[in-house]
Structure formats: C-alpha cells, structure tokens
Amino acid sequence: MFSKKPAPQATASRQSGRSSMSASPSFSVLGADMAIVGDITAGAELHIDGRVEGDISCTSLIQGEDSEIRGAVKVENARLAGKVRGTISAGDLVILKTAQIDGDVEYDSLTIERGARVGGRMALRNAAPYEPSLAMEVSGEPMLILAASAN
C-alpha cells in the first residue's frame, strides 16, 4: 500500500508544480483595501495602492494615486503618485503630478511632473556636501562662478 510508486506522469506534474511555486514572484501588490502597520522589505517590485505605516525597502516601487505611505522609503527605482510622509532615498525617482511628498528626498536621477507637490530638502544621493567658495566667504554676497570647458 505505502510502497507503491506514483505513476511517472503524476511525478512530473508534481515536480513542475513545485518548481513554479518555488520561483520568486515578479511583483507584489498591496491592494487599495489593505492597510499595513509595520516595515515592508521586498526583493521584487512592489505595487502599493493601500496604506502603509512603516518603512519600505525594495528594489522597485510603484505607488498608486490614492495610496499613502507614512515612513522612510529606500528603493532603487520608484514611481510615486500618492502621498508620502517621510524620507525617500531612491536611485531613479519619478514623482508624478498627483504625488504629495512631505519629507526629505535623496536621488540619483529625478523626474518631477508639473503639479506634483514636494515639501522637503532635495539632494543627490552620496553627493559631497556643499562648501561655499572663498570669494563668497570674503564678500558675504552670493556669486555665480562659471568654469570653462577644457575642450
């Protein structure tokens, strides 16, 4: 009774089912009717249409217009269309016209659509801190200094 081997066809279908189940998903979705309190870490693309109160860390983030994030966001790529209350650190960041961001933003590449609202400090990630030139320190007046190309 227990020593019988399953038919070869059944074994193949079971194995193929296991391999497809063990493969990681290409994206995860937080629906509009969902709210999460706590941090989220994802290795794949994350689509958020609901509400998150906590930090988010993922490879790629797509945020829906009616969604809200309250916490720090650390991603390589992001397309934000809803509300974000917290700091953002992103490689390639796209802020759509429906977005409302309240917090500091660090980025490598930035696109902001006309109409988007951003309140906070905007800076390049890993950029050297700004140091005023000697001329500015001496006169106390802001100056524009242009560098000529070496070509």
Side-chain angles (χ1 to χ4, degrees):
M1 178 172 175
F2 293 106
S3 63
K4 289 184 182 180
K5 291 184 181 179
Q9 193 174 24
T11 304
S13 66
R14 227 183 281 145
Q15 287 175 347
S16 67
R18 253 190 249 139
S19 65
S20 67
M21 294 295 283
S22 64
S24 62
S26 58
F27 64 91
S28 297
V29 177
L30 175 66
D33 62 335
M34 297 200 55
I36 291 184
V37 177
D39 298 343
I40 297 176
T41 302
E45 184 172 290
L46 181 61
H47 293 243
I48 296 179
D49 289 318
R51 181 183 165 127
V52 175
E53 288 190 35
D55 298 344
I56 297 173
S57 177
C58 62
T59 304
S60 183
L61 173 66
I62 306 234
Q63 181 192 32
E65 288 183 22
D66 296 325
S67 68
E68 184 174 356
I69 299 169
R70 290 181 179 265
V73 175
K74 186 173 183 179
V75 295
E76 282 307 309
N77 302 301
R79 197 169 168 86
L80 306 177
K83 294 179 183 176
V84 178
R85 307 283 185 256
T87 60
I88 299 171
S89 178
D92 184 24
L93 178 60
V94 177
I95 302 174
L96 301 175
K97 64 183 176 183
T98 56
Q100 298 175 22
I101 299 178
D102 292 324
D104 293 343
V105 178
E106 291 183 331
Y107 57 88
D108 292 333
S109 169
L110 176 66
T111 303
I112 302 176
E113 284 187 350
R114 180 182 213 133
R117 292 182 14 197
V118 180
R121 183 183 64 86
M122 307 275 294
L124 285 170
R125 276 198 311 187
N126 305 319
Y130 171 75
E131 294 184 23
S133 68
L134 180 60
M136 185 178 200
E137 289 176 9
V138 171
S139 70
E141 293 293 318
M143 295 181 61
L144 175 63
I145 300 172
L146 301 175
S149 172
N151 293 342

